[in-house]
Amino acid sequence: MEKKLKQKPINLVKVVLFGPESTGKTTLSRHLARHYNTVWAPEFAREYLQEKWNNERKTCEADDLIPIAIGQMKLENKLAKRADKILICDTDLLETKVYSEEFYGGFVDEKLNKAASENEYDLYLLTYIDTPWEEDDLRDRPEQRLEMFNAFEKSLIDNNRPYILLKGDKETRLKNAVKAIDKIIQEKENLYSFSDTLIDLDMHFMHQNIDTGNSFDY
């Protein structure tokens, strides 16, 4: 099981959207993926818990956290192979750990705790609560937004994670996020690019066809 909670090695800039519910994480994930012409890993928990609510009329329970964590890492590892230099993650296991601590009296499964500590990311974008609360089937605790925000920021500090705080409207958040991400991209070399692998594959087959005398049309 522990293997299913680990990142697979790949040379990408990995950025995590981090913070309480209804603080614009998914919107910014989409905008960043579009800006960098790459993919983003959505929050697996939303699909998992929405299905649970639809089928059982039950919300998240402590026993759901490990399946959610496994699903999230499976999604992240799969999409990392389709990314171009940067992967935008709408959440990570450290966020799952924070929810576990806050909702279940400090309880955190040791396997989740270990994986949340070991998985690495280049930057966390901590989203502030200056966005309107949007209610849905899964969100709760609108009156505790500041308390939850403080818990998220504390977890970043306690775990020594690199982060910036994002406030303001969508344009301001995107601008500040891009500025921080661009700096990281410039400092890293030989980043993986799915688009480049496709080009290399096309060139390989083109040369193979030439070498074997096969004809092909563009």
Side-chain angles (χ1 to χ4, degrees):
M1 181 184 295
E2 291 184 7
K3 186 177 180 180
K4 295 180 179 180
L5 294 172
K6 290 184 177 181
Q7 291 171 319
K8 293 182 179 178
I10 188 168
N11 189 26
L12 289 168
V13 173
K14 288 192 173 184
V15 177
V16 180
L17 278 293
F18 199 76
E21 296 174 318
S22 196
T23 54
K25 297 190 297 293
T26 299
T27 297
L28 184 55
S29 293
R30 291 194 180 103
H31 288 171
L32 285 169
R34 190 178 305 119
H35 177 85
Y36 288 104
N37 194 29
T38 189
V39 297
W40 65 285
E43 187 179 11
F44 177 79
R46 292 204 62 82
E47 178 183 348
Y48 177 98
L49 293 174
Q50 187 66 60
E51 183 175 351
K52 179 174 181 174
W53 174 257
N54 292 344
N55 294 335
E56 305 175 40
R57 282 299 187 265
K58 291 183 179 179
T59 56
C60 187
E61 299 168 295
D63 290 344
D64 292 316
L65 296 180
I66 290 297
I68 285 172
I70 290 173
Q72 189 65 46
M73 290 315 303
K74 181 178 180 180
L75 191 60
E76 179 183 317
N77 287 327
K78 175 183 177 181
L79 289 171
K81 298 176 183 178
R82 303 185 65 84
D84 283 317
K85 297 184 178 180
I86 176 172
L87 177 66
I88 308 298
C89 302
D90 198 359
T91 188
D92 78 332
L93 299 194
L94 185 58
E95 179 149 333
T96 307
K97 176 184 174 181
V98 173
Y99 276 111
S100 182
E101 290 172 333
E102 294 300 311
F103 279 72
Y104 304 109
F107 166 78
V108 180
D109 186 288
E110 183 52 39
K111 295 181 288 296
L112 172 59
N113 186 52
K114 186 173 185 291
S117 299
E118 293 179 350
N119 289 348
E120 296 182 354
Y121 300 87
D122 296 278
L123 180 66
Y124 284 77
L125 303 176
L126 178 61
T127 51
Y128 194 58
I129 56 174
D130 56 345
T131 54
W133 176 268
E134 295 184 10
E135 188 174 354
D136 63 18
D137 291 337
L138 305 178
R139 290 172 175 162
D140 59 7
R141 300 192 179 187
E143 73 287 348
Q144 294 179 267
R145 298 182 81 190
L146 182 58
E147 178 182 330
M148 290 299 296
F149 172 84
N150 290 337
F152 279 109
E153 184 166 35
K154 184 177 185 299
S155 72
L156 292 174
I157 296 170
D158 290 348
N159 288 275
N160 196 31
R161 299 300 172 93
Y163 78 96
I164 63 170
L165 174 61
L166 296 181
K167 293 183 176 182
D169 58 25
K170 297 175 184 178
E171 291 74 18
T172 300
R173 291 181 176 211
L174 179 62
K175 178 182 177 181
N176 291 334
V178 166
K179 182 179 178 181
I181 294 169
D182 283 349
K183 183 178 179 181
I184 297 173
I185 292 175
Q186 292 169 6
E187 294 172 349
K188 300 193 77 169
E189 297 180 349
N190 302 316
L191 290 169
Y192 169 85
S193 174
F194 177 67
S195 297
D196 289 347
T197 62
L198 289 180
I199 293 172
D200 291 342
L201 191 60
D202 287 343
M203 291 297 293
H204 169 76
F205 282 118
M206 183 177 73
H207 287 300
Q208 188 178 54
N209 284 329
I210 292 174
D211 292 341
T212 57
N214 293 330
S215 61
F216 53 90
D217 297 321
Y218 288 105

